[in-house]
């Protein structure tokens, strides 16, 4: 199975979510980001912990993805505010595309995909469809690989009972494939307000 590339997993999910929340607010301090993400229960489905939020803000400021702005009057040292730089906007966009379209075979708890799905409406409709269609291609490849393992695994020295694990992975791949194709169809029929639609879409950058 493919090993996750550097930057994937919970850390990447946290970075995308933090960038996305700051982007939504325009300017936000750590407590605002934490409150927003906890209100989404992101600590449960993306393993985002309060400490990792503050760490991500500081690290991405050092990396030039965020810039510090003047703290709110009387807010205290813990209320340093941030906004996205041009590099931060580019990183958010690239990370969103990557986590939405790529299939990770080495994790049943894909925090990165969950985070990307949260900001799906930040993409145009056609762009989201293209990325999800790429995900479908990969899922079909996963399904084919698992079918080969089930058919020939014992020939390659795999214990017979390991087939139970392959069947579990196969069922998950089938469910993911069906779900992704359904999401694509929903997008095609105009469901959800996307970035290129009229009206406010979830995750749209703050104006001004």
């Amino acid at each position: 199975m493919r090993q996750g590339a550097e930057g994937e997993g919970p850390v990447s999910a946290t970075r995308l979510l933090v960038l996305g929340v700051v982007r939504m607010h325009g300017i936000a301090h750590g407590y605002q980001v934490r409150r927003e993400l906890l209100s989404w229960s992101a600590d449960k489905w993306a393993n985002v912990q309060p400490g990792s939020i503050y760490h991500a803000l500081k690290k991405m400021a050092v990396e030039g993805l965020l810039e510090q702005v003047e703290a709110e009057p009387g807010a205290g040292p813990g209320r340093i505010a941030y906004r996205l730089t041009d590099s931060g906007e580019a990183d958010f966009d690239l990370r969103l595309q990557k986590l939405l379209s790529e299939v990770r075979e080495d994790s049943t708890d894909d925090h990165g995909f969950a985070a990307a799905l949260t900001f799906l409406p930040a993409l145009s409709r056609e762009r989201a469809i293209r990325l999800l269609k790429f995900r479908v291609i990969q899922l079909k490849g996963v399904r084919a690989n698992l079918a080969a393992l089930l058919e020939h695994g014992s020939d390659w020295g795999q214990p017979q009972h390991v087939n139970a694990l392959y069947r579990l992975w196969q069922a998950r791949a089938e469910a993911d494939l069906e779900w992704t194709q359904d999401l694509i169809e929903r997008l095609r029929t105009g469901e959800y307000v996307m970035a290129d639609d009229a009206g406010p879409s979830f995750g749209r950058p703050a104006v001004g």
Side-chain angles (χ1 to χ4, degrees):
M1 289 187 178
R2 182 178 66 84
Q3 295 299 312
E6 183 179 357
E8 291 186 348
V11 172
S12 190
T14 300
R15 287 169 68 95
L16 178 65
L17 289 167
V18 169
L19 283 171
V21 171
V22 175
R23 185 174 181 266
M24 285 173 60
H25 285 276
I27 294 175
H29 52 69
Y31 177 74
Q32 286 176 297
V33 176
R34 174 185 174 183
R35 182 179 59 193
E36 187 78 38
L37 291 177
L38 291 182
S39 75
W40 303 352
S41 299
D43 54 323
K44 298 178 175 63
W45 51 261
N47 195 32
V48 175
Q49 302 304 316
S52 66
I53 294 171
Y54 293 102
H55 175 75
L57 286 166
K58 292 176 182 178
K59 190 171 190 301
M60 289 191 289
V62 171
E63 294 171 352
L65 305 181
L66 297 172
E67 64 177 350
Q68 293 186 8
V69 297
E70 187 175 347
E72 299 172 353
R79 293 295 179 90
I80 297 172
Y82 301 87
R83 64 183 167 206
L84 262 67
T85 62
D86 289 343
S87 294
E89 180 69 30
D91 189 86
F92 170 81
D93 187 65
L94 180 62
R95 194 173 297 272
L96 175 58
Q97 292 184 73
K98 179 181 177 67
L99 294 179
L100 186 68
S101 63
E102 289 193 350
V103 173
R104 299 189 64 213
E105 297 180 53
D106 57 343
S107 175
T108 57
D109 297 315
D110 196 341
H111 302 118
F113 181 71
L117 188 62
T118 300
F119 286 106
L120 178 71
L123 298 167
S124 70
R125 189 172 302 276
E126 286 305 315
R127 195 172 177 200
I129 289 172
R130 286 199 303 270
L131 292 167
L132 290 168
K133 286 172 71 174
F134 183 64
R135 180 178 178 83
V136 165
I137 292 170
Q138 292 178 85
L139 286 168
K140 288 180 177 179
V142 171
R143 183 176 62 180
N145 290 340
L146 289 168
L149 285 170
L150 282 166
E151 183 177 358
H152 302 293
S154 59
D155 300 338
W156 302 332
Q158 296 282 3
Q160 188 64 32
H161 67 274
V162 175
N163 279 353
L165 182 59
Y166 295 154
R167 286 194 296 273
L168 172 62
W169 290 342
Q170 188 178 50
R172 287 174 174 165
E174 288 285 359
D176 196 344
L177 179 58
E178 181 180 352
W179 177 90
T180 304
Q181 290 172 326
D182 177 72
L183 179 56
I184 290 171
E185 187 58 29
R186 289 174 183 272
L187 287 165
R188 281 176 172 158
T189 57
E191 204 163 329
Y192 316 121
V193 179
M194 303 299 288
D196 55 338
D197 292 330
S201 63
F202 183 86
R204 188 184 295 271
V207 178

